[in-house]
């Protein structure tokens, strides 16, 4: 990967390019939110769930991704179709970026149309 999305700097650099994203440290991890709703979390070796990225996925993607080694149902988010992706998962950088963007879109789509307009969020992302 040219940008290490599993590092805080790489994670922040990529996600900061999405509209209305904020970051907070909670749950022993670094969390990305859109309008105070979580769409991605970065764990590290100090986190109780390890060096992973956690994202929301569609039902179909959940079935596909959880069949891949180093990707599984995320702890604490399991009932809402969240996956945990380990650093050694066999996803390319473009694939990982796609799934992170898609997580953002899934969560942002849950906001009202008015609120998305106030935050300058246009879906789907280009």
């Amino acid at each position: 990967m040219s940008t290490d999305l599993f590092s805080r700097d790489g994670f922040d650099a990529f996600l900061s390019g999405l509209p209305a994203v904020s970051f907070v440290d909670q749950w022993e991890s670094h969390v990305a939110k859109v309008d105070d709703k979580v769409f991605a979390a970065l764990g590290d070796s100090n986190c109780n769930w390890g060096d992973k990225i956690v994202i929301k996925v569609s039902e179909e993607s959940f079935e596909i991704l959880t069949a891949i080694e180093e990707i599984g149902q995320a702890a604490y988010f399991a009932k809402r179709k969240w996956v945990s992706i380990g650093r050694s998962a066999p996803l390319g950088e473009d694939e990982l970026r796609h799934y992170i963007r898609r997580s953002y879109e899934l969560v942002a789509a849950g906001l009202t149309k008015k609120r998305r307009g106030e935050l300058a969020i246009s879906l789907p992302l280009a």
Side-chain angles (χ1 to χ4, degrees):
M1 289 185 176
S2 61
T3 303
D4 184 7
L5 294 170
F6 287 89
S7 75
R8 189 179 185 121
D9 289 343
F11 184 82
D12 287 1
F14 174 61
L15 297 177
S16 292
L18 301 172
V21 170
S22 62
F23 300 96
V24 64
D25 291 326
Q26 67 184 68
W27 308 316
E28 299 177 357
S29 60
H30 188 56
V31 177
K33 297 182 176 187
V34 57
D35 199 33
D36 209 33
K37 299 197 181 308
V38 175
F39 72 93
L42 175 68
D44 61 24
S45 57
N46 298 321
C47 176
N48 63 357
W49 39 272
D51 193 18
K52 298 180 185 212
I53 292 176
V54 173
I55 56 173
K56 185 175 181 83
V57 295
S58 68
E59 178 86 29
E60 182 178 284
S61 292
F62 181 84
E63 296 303 324
I64 293 166
L65 290 171
T66 55
I68 298 172
E69 192 170 326
E70 286 296 311
I71 301 176
Q73 191 171 25
Y76 312 111
F77 293 95
K79 293 183 180 178
R80 295 191 177 124
K81 301 299 179 217
W82 289 77
V83 296
S84 150
I85 303 170
R87 180 182 284 278
S88 60
L91 291 180
E93 181 178 354
D94 288 343
E95 289 174 296
L96 183 55
R97 286 175 182 263
H98 163 79
Y99 283 114
I100 293 170
R101 270 191 222 92
R102 185 68 183 124
S103 178
Y104 172 89
E105 290 175 341
L106 287 167
V107 173
L111 302 175
T112 66
K113 186 175 181 178
K114 178 181 178 187
R115 186 65 180 143
R116 286 194 309 266
E118 291 168 353
L119 297 171
I121 297 171
S122 179
L123 297 176
L125 298 174

